[in-house]
Amino acid sequence: MRAARLIKMVLLLQSRPSMTAAELARELEVSERTVTRDAQALSEAGVPVYADRGRAGGYRLIGGYRTRLTGLARSEAEALFLSGVPGALREMGLEDAASAARLKVSAALLPSLRDAPRSAAQRFHLDAPDWFKEPKTPALLPAVAQAVWDDRRIAAVYRRGDGEVRRELEPYGLVLKAGVWYLCARVAGHGTHRVYRIDRFTSVDADGERFERDEEFDLPAFWEERAEQFARSILHAEVVVRLSPDGVRRLPYAGDPQAAREALAGAQEPDADGWVTVTLPVESEDVAHAQLTTLGPEAEVLAPQSLRARFVADAARLNALYSAPRDR
């Protein structure tokens, strides 16, 4: 533990002109007294750590000293490429590896480039979770993530319907979609890859044997294909809708964007009022009611009749609600 701390201290001092004892103590999560002892130990080991006394003093390396302890470990290098998603790193248990990797890269940079990480962080940030949802980290995510990094089989039990199913899986990759974690894995003994929601796993044994990955597997392409298949698979019904020009513009934001674009591409020519009629695939009548309600008077449902009747009833209730005088 102390050896790792001493190495980190050298890298910190190498990446900055100087640091106070308080700053080092905060970064190393130790007391200032421990920082003093560690600096003395480094000096005795031949590392030229110099202490400036006084209120503005601190520690620095002298003589242009450069350590060769900057080689990235595999886990650190892999984590570094994910460093733009700090929440995801934390949930997968890789925050420490990413922090060490960033520190080593900073220490290896030329002095003129050492502000590059901070500069980039000030300009770009990826916020993965969806709006208005409190993300919940699956308790088993770190174990699954470690198996993904190690190419190690897992024995998993997950909820399906009212029961549970046990599978031996070869975990290929993780996907974070709108705050929900998914595992793309191949069932051991089968050639097909499937997608599992990690929050539905009830137990995971990640001590299995290593498996040989299919190097042709493309995680982004696989996810894009499955996501499109899923989006289409839930569109079990159709509604016929007449849309105003403003309704045409707003339709892709009211429901599934791809379904809306395809419906608009096949729309009839505008009528005398400039309205167009489209046939829109939807998940269900209830979902269509909720989505099309957001368009207000910019959409008129023509079919099915049952859905049109719901909007007629909505209109009557709204008329009654807003027609009645309201006491101030």
Side-chain angles (χ1 to χ4, degrees), residues 247 249-257 260 280 287-288 290-295:
R249 180 182 62 81
R250 292 165 52 187
L251 183 63
Y253 304 98
D256 179 75
L280 179 68
V287 172
Q291 293 175 343
L292 295 176
T293 295
T294 65
L295 300 182

Side-chain angles (χ1 to χ4, degrees), residues 241 243-244 246-256 260 280 286-301 307 311 314 318:
V241 188
L243 299 166
S244 71
D246 191 43
V248 169
R249 180 182 62 81
R250 292 165 52 187
L251 183 63
Y253 304 98
D256 179 75
L280 179 68
D286 288 339
V287 172
H289 179 257
Q291 293 175 343
L292 295 176
T293 295
T294 65
L295 300 182
E298 307 305 325
E300 177 191 3
V301 174
L307 181 59
F311 278 98
D314 288 347
L318 283 170

Side-chain angles (χ1 to χ4, degrees), residues 9-19 59-68 70 101-123:
M9 183 174 179
V10 173
L11 292 173
L12 284 167
L13 293 174
Q14 185 173 307
S15 64
R16 307 178 195 182
S18 68
M19 295 183 69
Y59 293 90
R60 59 188 174 89
L61 294 174
I62 61 175
Y65 180 83
R66 306 287 294 177
T67 177
R68 295 183 178 275
T70 53
R102 287 193 294 269
L103 181 58
K104 289 181 178 182
V105 169
S106 296
L109 291 174
L110 294 173
S112 61
L113 298 177
R114 284 180 185 160
D115 67 335
R118 183 178 64 85
S119 177
Q122 289 175 337
R123 288 166 173 78

Side-chain angles (χ1 to χ4, degrees), residues 7 10 17 41 58 71 78 155 170 223 230 259:
I7 291 173
V10 173
E78 292 168 336
E170 297 174 351
W223 176 259
F230 173 76

Side-chain angles (χ1 to χ4, degrees), residues 2 24 27 47 96-97 105 130 153 160 164 185 209 215 230 240 242 271 273 278-279 286 293 308 322 325-326:
R2 191 188 186 201
L24 284 167
E27 290 283 352
V47 178
D96 289 343
V105 169
D130 201 359
R153 289 181 178 179
R160 189 172 70 180
E164 292 186 337
E209 298 179 351
E215 296 302 330
F230 173 76
V240 180
R242 184 169 170 261
D271 60 20
D273 296 323
V278 302
T279 299
D286 288 339
T293 295
R308 180 179 175 86
Y322 285 99
R326 185 171 180 83

Side-chain angles (χ1 to χ4, degrees), residues 187-244:
V187 180
H190 296 75
T192 58
H193 292 81
R194 302 177 185 177
V195 176
Y196 303 86
R197 276 186 60 147
I198 294 181
D199 58 5
R200 293 180 182 168
F201 286 138
T202 58
S203 72
V204 169
D205 180 355
D207 295 328
E209 298 179 351
R210 292 182 181 275
F211 66 91
E212 185 174 348
R213 292 178 65 91
D214 177 4
E215 296 302 330
E216 299 298 320
F217 179 77
D218 185 332
L219 179 60
F222 171 78
W223 176 259
E224 182 179 2
E225 179 184 352
R226 286 305 174 92
E228 183 177 347
Q229 290 177 358
F230 173 76
R232 291 180 178 277
S233 70
I234 63 175
L235 303 179
H236 300 298
E238 288 184 343
V239 298
V240 180
V241 188
R242 184 169 170 261
L243 299 166
S244 71

